Amino acid sequence: METAAVAEDRSRELEERIAVEPDAFRILTGDRPTGPLHLGHYFGTLANRVRLQRAGVELFVLVADYQVLTDRDVADHLREHVEGLVADYLAAGIDPSTATIFRHSAVPALNQLMLPFLSLVSIAELNRNPTVKDEIAAARQTSVSGLMFTYPVHQAADILFCKANLVPVGRDQLPHQEITRTIARRFNERYAPVFPVPDALLSAAPGLLGTDGRKMSKSRGNAIALSAGPDETARLIRRAVTDDDRHITYAPDTRPEVSNLVLIAALCQGRDPHDVAAEIGDGGAAALKKVVTDSVNDFLRPIRARRAELAADRTYLGGVLAEGNERANTVADRTLEEVRAAMAS
Ligand code: TRP
């Protein structure tokens, strides 16, 4: 299995190629509509998508609604979350005039690829996936559904239906990416060369933690949502975990919580975290939290303003998604035809 270090080297190579020939690449990436996107999403992947789109790479963005049911029994507030996700994308700067924003449930031919793809992987391979294992451990369910076990195969269909060759993801998604690559290779060998073997593209930015020093996630109440107001942001940061050394430094290995707050401020200010820490110096946790709150609120102000405008125009958001669904269907129908032809000959 591809290690993170290999993927990092490969990502650097890919960035060089993207700079020279952006139109040789098509990106597919997406998110589960389970709640508002937060700063971790922004600096981990959203900013990267916007940058690559502006560089001239074609972008497919998936609202992964069929993936919501992997670790829960019901998809709550689905309509609201789907709309919210589209608003987050557009507010963050994804341009729907060239990006295709669509959802699983609106593209039947994509889902139909799951069937032949399931035949190309073994139970043992599925069983080995560390990300799925972690999710099974964290899920609040009494049993593991077939969908949980096989969703990485569905994700291969997400990526391959549009023949994307580039998938910007976090490190936790690398095992899934490996399954996609395996499926593409096996299909091409067994039938006919229909699919590219897509590369993962890792973000250069270091990962953000939540305000309590654990993984940033909405369900843990430690995430700063793009859509949160300035007061809610201030409240979350006031409660953030720090330590009792008043001298603020950036030392992620030895002071993870304080360093994470410094990093949040630095990313928002577009500066080096060591400089941000040095400026706060002996100001202690109170000064640090003030800097973080102001930086986040200043940084998110225009994004929040755009998002509020978009959220008020549900007709527009629905139109963006309908147009994306239509484009995705055209592409998916064509690929499914090729797959049928390859398997029938
Ligand atoms: N699994 C991803 C997540 O939980 C969402 C996702 C679904 C995805 N399909 C994808 C990401 C295809 C990249 C490519 O965030």
Side-chain angles (χ1 to χ4, degrees), residues 84-345:
L85 200 49
V86 178
D88 282 337
Y89 289 153
L90 303 184
I94 291 177
D95 174 4
S97 70
T98 56
T100 300
I101 303 175
F102 68 103
R103 66 195 288 179
H104 276 143
S105 58
V107 188
L110 179 163
N111 295 294
Q112 207 172 320
L113 291 175
M114 173 95 170
L115 202 60
F117 286 1
L118 277 171
S119 77
L120 296 168
V121 281
S122 69
I123 294 281
E125 283 166 325
L126 293 176
N127 212 7
R128 225 179 276 142
N129 187 310
T131 298
V132 171
K133 280 189 187 155
D134 287 350
E135 286 171 337
I136 288 173
R140 283 155 297 180
Q141 285 172 308
T142 48
S143 60
V144 181
S145 74
L147 184 62
M148 169 63 103
F149 198 61
T150 54
Y151 89 81
V153 180
H154 194 229
Q155 197 154 315
D158 297 342
I159 296 165
L160 296 176
F161 94 92
C162 66
K163 301 190 182 177
N165 54 2
L166 201 59
V167 187
V169 283
R171 283 159 181 73
D172 64 320
Q173 298 288 307
L174 289 175
H176 301 350
Q177 191 53 30
E178 211 40 51
I179 290 182
T180 295
R181 291 166 60 85
T182 300
I183 288 174
R185 266 192 225 106
R186 287 189 189 151
F187 187 95
N188 293 345
E189 279 162 20
R190 195 168 299 177
Y191 302 106
V194 170
F195 296 111
V197 179
D199 277 296
L201 185 72
L202 294 171
S203 157
L208 278 189
L209 303 172
T211 49
D212 57 358
R214 299 186 304 159
K215 183 177 154 96
M216 193 183 277
S217 115
K218 185 181 167 275
S219 58
R220 294 188 166 142
N222 65 2
I224 303 164
L226 303 182
S227 55
D231 295 342
E232 195 184 332
T233 302
R235 214 176 315 121
L236 257 173
I237 294 170
R238 208 175 308 125
R239 289 204 318 255
V241 177
T242 53
D243 55 36
D244 44 22
D245 183 352
R246 292 192 54 82
H247 185 65
I248 301 304
T249 53
Y250 182 66
D253 292 338
T254 50
R255 300 179 80 183
E257 296 91 355
V258 162
S259 300
N260 181 58
L261 289 172
V262 171
L263 178 62
I264 292 176
L267 288 169
C268 288
Q269 296 179 23
R271 290 173 65 203
D272 186 287
H274 293 101
D275 297 345
V276 172
E279 209 168 82
I280 303 168
D282 290 321
L288 170 63
K289 288 180 177 182
K290 178 162 174 17
V291 169
V292 177
T293 305
D294 292 346
S295 317
V296 171
N297 282 335
D298 287 347
F299 178 75
L300 287 181
R301 192 168 298 115
I303 295 179
R304 285 167 170 166
R306 256 197 320 272
R307 196 187 182 288
E309 254 171 61
L310 288 159
D313 195 346
R314 294 186 46 202
T315 314
Y316 174 71
L317 292 178
V320 166
L321 197 54
E323 204 180 295
N325 288 339
E326 196 181 313
R327 270 188 259 171
N329 268 305
T330 306
V331 175
D333 289 343
R334 204 182 308 135
T335 303
L336 184 61
E337 265 322 303
E338 282 179 57
V339 163
R340 279 205 191 106
M343 294 177 77
S345 63

